[in-house]
Amino acid sequence: MNASSAALAALSGLGFGLSLIVAIGAQNAFVLRQGIRREHILAVVAVCAVSDVVLIAAGVGGFGAVLTAAPVVVEIARYGGAAFLFGYAVLAARRALAPGALTEAADASVALGATVLTALALTWLNPHVYLDTVVLLGSFANTYAGPQRWFLAVGAMLASIGWFTALGYGARLLGPLFARRTAWRVLDSVIAVVMLTLSVTLVVR
């Protein structure tokens, strides 16, 4: 395998990875909110990026076939993820609708441990993450032969790391806008709708 074919495989992985990850979802909504708050950004970005790296490696390594052969694991993640996303949607809706809760949420700092656990839950309890990184990306990688599959994986990993880093640290540019309570109310309303929609789609299919 020459350098050009390796580079093309990596670029394909980069493009495919970005096409899967650059969308409104549970992870992105949480990373965006933490970035705007400038709270535990490094930890949140690290959890999301490292989790994606592990899942991408599993998908390219063939774990997608194992996951397909054990549907009970997917079912457990599906209902557990739906319950968690519904709970998060309720909290976001409460922040958006209750003035007292909004003020408290804007001023209070959330502990690092709780933030990391939330990021982990939004990642590992979300079956859509497995579908994207393990099943879809794994299937796409199977169209490449030999070492090219792993160059594709590296490209997809770089896409995930770059995206979460840009989203988390770039969100601070929105700081002046979110100096107003109304902006936080709109953001939390959007997050509530996204989380609730994802929760419903996990159960109703």
Side-chain angles (χ1 to χ4, degrees):
M1 183 181 65
N2 55 42
S4 60
S5 61
L8 285 174
L11 286 174
S12 295
L14 182 69
F16 193 80
L18 286 174
S19 71
L20 293 176
I21 198 172
V22 181
I24 298 176
Q27 275 184 315
N28 287 341
F30 184 68
V31 174
L32 178 64
R33 192 174 197 282
Q34 291 302 120
I36 293 172
R37 286 174 59 88
R38 301 189 182 188
E39 187 175 72
H40 309 310
I41 303 174
L42 177 60
V44 171
V45 168
V47 166
C48 293
V50 171
S51 295
D52 267 16
V53 166
V54 172
L55 289 166
I56 290 168
V60 175
F63 187 72
V66 177
L67 197 62
T68 303
V72 65
V73 176
V74 178
E75 289 299 297
I76 292 173
R78 184 161 71 96
Y79 287 103
F84 180 84
L85 290 173
F86 179 79
Y88 197 92
V90 170
L91 292 177
R94 178 175 176 268
R95 289 195 303 263
L97 297 175
L102 183 69
T103 302
E104 179 183 349
D107 296 334
S109 177
V110 180
L112 174 61
T115 301
V116 169
L117 287 176
T118 301
L120 287 169
L122 288 172
T123 301
W124 293 92
L125 288 180
N126 186 358
H128 290 300
V129 173
Y130 297 96
L131 176 63
D132 289 346
T133 57
V134 178
V135 179
L136 292 180
L137 187 59
S139 298
F140 183 62
N142 285 334
T143 63
Y144 287 77
Q148 283 187 321
R149 300 170 65 234
W150 292 105
F151 280 100
L152 181 141
V154 169
M157 292 173 184
L158 290 176
S160 180
I161 294 170
W163 170 253
F164 284 123
T165 301
L167 183 62
Y169 286 98
R172 67 180 59 194
L173 299 176
L174 298 174
L177 173 63
F178 284 88
R180 297 178 295 176
R181 303 289 191 188
T182 303
W184 280 106
R185 193 181 299 277
V186 172
L187 176 64
D188 281 321
S189 297
V190 172
I191 289 176
V193 171
V194 169
M195 299 296 184
L196 181 60
T197 301
L198 290 172
S199 176
V200 172
T201 57
L202 286 178
V203 177
V204 180
R205 62 176 184 176

